[in-house]
Amino acid sequence: MALLSVTLLYLCPLDFNPITRFSTNPDNTDSSMALKTNAPAASRPAEKLSSHRNREILHIFNTFFHNESTGGILLLVCAVIAVTLASIPGGEWFDRMWETRAGISIGKFSIDMSLRYWVNDALMAIFFFVVGLEIKREMLVGQLSSIKRSALPIVAALGGMLVPAGIYWACNAGNPESITGWGIPMATDIAFAIGILSLLGNRVPPSLKVFLTALAIVDDIGAIIVLAVFYPTHALHLEYIAAAGMILAVLAGFNFLKVKNKYLYIIPGIAMWYFTYLSGIHATIAGVLLAMVIPSKGSINEVRFQSRISLLLEKFKLTSNRQMNVLTSPEQQHIIHSMSTEIKSVDPLLHRLESKLHPIVTFIIMPLFALANAGVALDFSSISSGGLSPVSLGIFLGLLVGKPAGIFLFSFISIKMRLAARPTGVTWKQMASIGMLGGIGFTMSIFINNLAFSSPELVDIGKISILITSASAAVLGLTAMSLSCKGKAPELTAAEILPEETNRIKTDK
C-alpha cells in the first residue's frame, strides 16, 4: 500500500497546481543566492510569470537551506554527546534512560513503548510527514515539478542508491544475517550535507545547492519505499492495513471536497498512524501517506486575493489619520483581522503545516533521534575482530565510494545522452565533489540499521561504521568542494538557476 501510494504521489500528486503560491513575499530574495533580475525579459507577461515563480521557489529554498544548515550543526552536537556518553565509564545511565517505558491508556485502549521507540516510531512519523510535504511541494512547483527540472536529480539519486546497495550486497553475499543491511548505504542525510555545504558560503553556485537539495529529496523517496517494502517491523496484519487504507481514503475524500480544516486531517492521521503501527509496516510511513492528502491549494485564487487585499488596504488608508498611534483604531483592527483571514485563505494548508513543523523537526525531533540512537561505544575492535567486518566494509565502500560514484556516473551518462542538462554554472569537478557529500548517511542510515539487523552486535557495528564513514565523507566532501569552488560563484538569475527551457531534452544534433 505504501509503495503504491508513494508511486501515485510521484506520478499524479493530488491538487496539482503549477502556479500555486507558497511565499507571501516573493520578492524578498536572499542575497546569499546572488540573484539578479532581468528587466527586458520580465517585461513580457509569460516570461515575467515564470521569473516571478522561480524567485518564489528560490525564496522557499533559501529558508529551507539555511534552516537545514543550522539544524545540521545541532544534529552533530547531539550525536557527539550520545557517542561520548556511551564511550565513557559511568555513561550507561543515558542509554538506560531511553529504555524507560512510557504509555498511554484510555479505557481499554493502551499503547506502551520505550522512550527510544516513542522517538523512532512516533516522533519520526512527524519527521516523515514533513519529508512527505517537502516531496509533494517539490513535485508541484519545485525542482521535481517537470521532466526538464527533475531528470538530473532523479537519475543522480538512482545512481546514488543502486550502486551503494550493490556494493554492500557484494560484500555480504552469502551471509543471511548481514545481507539485510543493503539499505543502509542508500540514504543521504540532507541536514548534514547542506550544513557542510553552507560552510563554503557564496563560493558554491546556487544551482548546485538546488541540485543537492532535489537529489536528497528524491533519495528520501527511495528510502521511504525501501523502508515500507523491505523492512517491516513484524509480520503483516491485513486487517490493520485495511483500516489504515480506509482512513487514507476518507482523507483523500476530504481533499477532493476541498476541506481545509487541519484537525480533520491530523486527528484521523493519528488513527492511521496507530493502525499502521499495528500492521507490521513501519509506523513512520503513515506520516508520508498523510502528507500525500494534505491540500496544496488555497481557498481562494490569487486574482481574488489581490483584489480583496487591495480593497482592504484602501480602506485601511481611508481610516488612517496619518498619525503614529500606540494602538490601531477599532476600524483598522477589523481590517487587519480581515487581511489576516484573506492571507490564511490563499496560503495552502500544505505550506502552513510545513512552515510550522519544519523548525520542530529540525531543532527538536532530529536532535532527540540522534541522542536516542547514535549512542554507541567507539570500540573499534568490534568492527575489525577477525578482519574487517563485512557489514563495516559494505557500509564504508557503499557510502564513501558507491555514493559519489553512482551520483557522478549516472549524472554524467544522462547529460552526455542529452536526457538531462548540467546545472548552470556548475563544473564537472563540482558535480563529482557534491557526490562525496551524498556519502553522509547518518539519520536515515541509522534508522534503517536499527531495523535491518536482529543481532545487537551487528546493530552496534553498523552504527559505528555509519558514524565513521559519514564523518569521513563530510571531511572528504568539504575538502573536494573547497578545491573545486575557488572564489565567489558567478551571479545567476532565477531563470538560470531554475531553467524553464534549458533542461528540455535536446533533439537537435
Side-chain angles (χ1 to χ4, degrees):
M1 179 183 69
L3 175 60
L4 176 61
S5 301
V6 174
T7 305
L8 289 175
L9 171 60
Y10 180 75
L11 295 177
C12 187
L14 293 174
D15 298 319
F16 181 79
N17 181 5
I19 59 172
T20 300
R21 294 291 185 260
F22 288 120
S23 174
T24 58
N25 186 13
D27 292 325
N28 181 23
T29 52
D30 193 296
S31 60
S32 65
M33 294 300 294
L35 298 179
K36 300 186 298 182
T37 56
N38 191 333
S43 63
R44 289 171 294 197
E47 293 185 11
K48 183 177 180 179
L49 176 62
S50 175
S51 176
H52 186 66
R53 184 186 306 146
N54 284 345
R55 288 199 302 271
E56 290 178 351
I57 296 171
L58 291 173
H59 175 66
I60 299 167
F61 165 76
N62 244 348
T63 303
F64 174 83
F65 184 87
H66 291 295
N67 200 18
E68 287 289 347
S69 62
T70 306
I73 297 172
L74 180 59
L75 195 61
L76 176 62
V77 171
C78 291
V80 170
I81 291 173
V83 172
T84 301
L85 288 174
S87 302
I88 63 174
E92 298 84 2
W93 64 270
F94 188 73
D95 184 68
R96 289 197 302 268
M97 178 189 71
W98 295 106
E99 296 301 325
T100 303
R101 306 293 295 184
I104 299 174
S105 180
I106 303 174
K108 294 183 178 180
F109 169 82
S110 65
I111 180 172
D112 182 80
M113 295 187 289
S114 67
L115 291 179
R116 180 175 284 115
Y117 275 95
W118 276 111
V119 171
N120 293 348
D121 285 15
L123 292 185
M124 286 298 285
I126 302 175
F127 163 80
F128 276 93
F129 176 61
V130 174
V131 168
L133 294 176
E134 291 169 354
I135 291 171
K136 187 172 182 177
R137 170 172 50 77
E138 284 293 313
M139 290 178 177
L140 291 174
V141 297
Q143 182 75 354
L144 307 179
S145 61
S146 68
I147 295 177
K148 292 175 288 186
R149 288 180 174 176
S150 63
L152 185 61
I154 288 177
V155 171
L158 283 174
M161 290 184 286
L162 295 176
V163 176
I167 290 176
Y168 182 94
W169 185 88
C171 292
N172 290 268
N175 189 337
E177 291 186 359
S178 63
I179 193 70
T180 53
W182 57 268
I184 297 172
M186 293 178 65
T188 294
D189 192 299
I190 187 172
F192 271 137
I194 288 179
I196 295 297
L197 201 63
S198 67
L199 297 177
L200 299 175
N202 59 12
R203 294 166 57 185
V204 181
S207 52
L208 191 61
K209 298 175 183 178
V210 174
F211 169 70
L212 175 61
T213 304
L215 184 150
I217 289 175
V218 177
D219 193 280
D220 284 339
I221 297 174
I224 290 166
I225 294 173
V226 168
L227 184 65
V229 177
F230 298 102
Y231 293 104
T233 53
H234 49 76
L236 297 181
H237 297 281
L238 296 181
E239 65 274 22
Y240 294 124
I241 294 177
M246 290 176 62
I247 295 174
L248 182 64
V250 171
L251 294 178
F254 287 167
N255 184 298
F256 179 78
L257 296 173
K258 304 186 186 305
V259 175
K260 307 297 182 182
N261 190 315
K262 61 184 177 183
Y263 297 107
L264 290 179
Y265 292 92
I266 294 175
I267 294 174
I270 294 173
M272 184 171 66
W273 170 86
Y274 178 69
F275 286 121
T276 307
Y277 168 76
L278 296 176
S279 71
I281 300 172
H282 202 278
T284 54
I285 299 302
V288 181
L289 299 177
L290 179 60
M292 183 182 68
V293 297
I294 296 297
S296 59
K297 293 180 182 178
S299 301
I300 59 175
N301 61 38
E302 60 187 85
V303 175
R304 186 179 299 178
F305 171 75
Q306 290 171 4
S307 62
R308 289 182 179 180
I309 289 295
S310 297
L311 179 61
L312 290 170
L313 284 173
E314 188 64 29
K315 288 182 178 180
F316 189 88
K317 187 186 298 182
L318 292 174
T319 59
S320 173
N321 58 10
R322 300 180 183 279
Q323 295 180 1
M324 183 68 71
N325 295 322
V326 177
L327 294 174
T328 54
S329 66
E331 293 84 358
Q332 289 174 325
Q333 291 175 22
H334 176 73
I335 293 170
I336 292 171
H337 176 74
S338 298
M339 291 175 67
S340 176
T341 302
E342 296 297 333
I343 292 172
K344 185 176 180 180
S345 297
V346 79
D347 193 22
L349 180 59
L350 182 148
H351 179 244
R352 284 186 276 134
L353 288 175
E354 184 184 356
S355 299
K356 291 179 180 179
L357 291 176
H358 205 287
I360 295 174
V361 168
T362 301
F363 299 111
I364 297 177
I365 294 178
M366 297 305 296
L368 281 175
F369 175 83
L371 290 172
N373 294 277
V376 57
L378 292 180
D379 181 9
F380 298 102
S381 63
S382 63
I383 65 174
S384 60
S385 56
L388 189 64
S389 166
V391 171
S392 299
L393 186 63
I395 293 173
F396 181 82
L397 293 179
L399 285 174
L400 210 55
V401 178
K403 266 288 183 180
I407 291 172
F408 180 79
L409 288 176
F410 275 57
S411 298
F412 182 83
I413 293 171
S414 65
I415 292 171
K416 291 301 181 182
M417 292 179 64
R418 296 185 177 182
L419 300 175
R422 189 164 28 137
T424 307
V426 175
T427 66
W428 284 115
K429 289 182 180 179
Q430 291 167 345
M431 289 290 291
S433 301
I434 207 71
M436 294 184 182
L437 291 180
I440 304 175
F442 195 72
T443 305
M444 194 63 74
S445 293
I446 290 179
F447 195 85
I448 295 176
N449 178 78
N450 292 342
L451 300 174
F453 305 124
S454 57
S455 166
E457 182 182 356
L458 287 181
V459 171
D460 286 346
I461 290 175
K463 284 184 182 180
I464 296 173
S465 304
I466 292 167
L467 292 172
I468 295 174
T469 306
S470 295
S472 302
V475 172
L476 291 175
L478 179 60
T479 303
M481 287 300 302
S482 299
L483 295 174
S484 60
C485 299
K486 296 181 179 179
K488 184 179 178 181
E491 294 184 351
L492 300 173
T493 64
E496 289 173 324
I497 298 172
L498 291 175
E500 290 289 345
E501 302 295 337
T502 55
N503 259 3
R504 181 174 295 169
I505 298 175
K506 299 179 180 179
T507 57
D508 57 314
K509 296 183 179 180

